Amino acid sequence: MTTFSATAKRRAALFLGAATLATSAGLGAAAPASAAASDCNGYQLCLFTDANYGGTLIRWNYLPAGGTLPSDHDSVSSIVNNSGSNICFYEHPGYGGLKFTVGPWQKWATVPDWINDKISSLTPC
């Protein structure tokens, strides 16, 4: 029988919830665990649960207006911003706490340790 750690369960719940949110808003969908940075095309914004663009991927086909990630958040470890806008990521829901900015067309294979697995909300900035 396979057992999963609490972190693995939380990450799965986050990205299943985000996929549901994204799909219902027409934004995109979760990709399989074999996703890579090259799967983030055009003007998409992509978040990955693991460093080096690994793990589960959630992508937006156009920039989100901003908002709080689903309640089981704090799982983002790498980011691809294929847009012409800065995206600000925040430690807490509602744009609070630490702020990490990813510039236009930037890719972060590993976000800094101080924000890794702590991102709860985001907005163009």
Side-chain angles (χ1 to χ4, degrees):
M1 180 165 121
T2 304
T3 58
F4 297 96
S5 70
T7 300
K9 289 178 185 176
R10 185 176 54 151
R11 285 182 176 185
L14 161 66
F15 283 88
L16 287 174
T20 301
L21 174 67
T23 302
S24 67
L27 300 174
S34 62
S38 61
D39 293 330
C40 193
N41 302 309
Y43 291 91
Q44 294 176 332
L45 172 64
C46 300
L47 309 178
F48 299 82
T49 57
D50 295 336
N52 299 310
Y53 317 109
T56 303
L57 152 66
I58 185 73
R59 68 179 132 209
W60 285 267
N61 292 323
Y62 52 89
L63 286 181
T68 297
L69 296 176
S71 60
D72 289 330
H73 43 73
D74 298 344
S75 296
V76 176
S77 293
S78 52
I79 299 169
V80 175
N81 179 10
N82 280 341
S83 79
S85 300
N86 287 325
I87 306 293
C88 291
F89 296 89
Y90 297 88
E91 176 186 23
H92 300 304
Y95 321 118
L98 299 171
K99 178 175 117 176
F100 175 62
T101 303
V102 176
W105 314 111
Q106 285 189 345
K107 294 176 173 70
W108 283 80
T110 304
V111 298
D113 287 341
W114 55 267
I115 197 73
N116 186 47
D117 290 339
K118 295 179 183 174
I119 293 172
S120 295
S121 58
L122 63 106
T123 189
C125 56

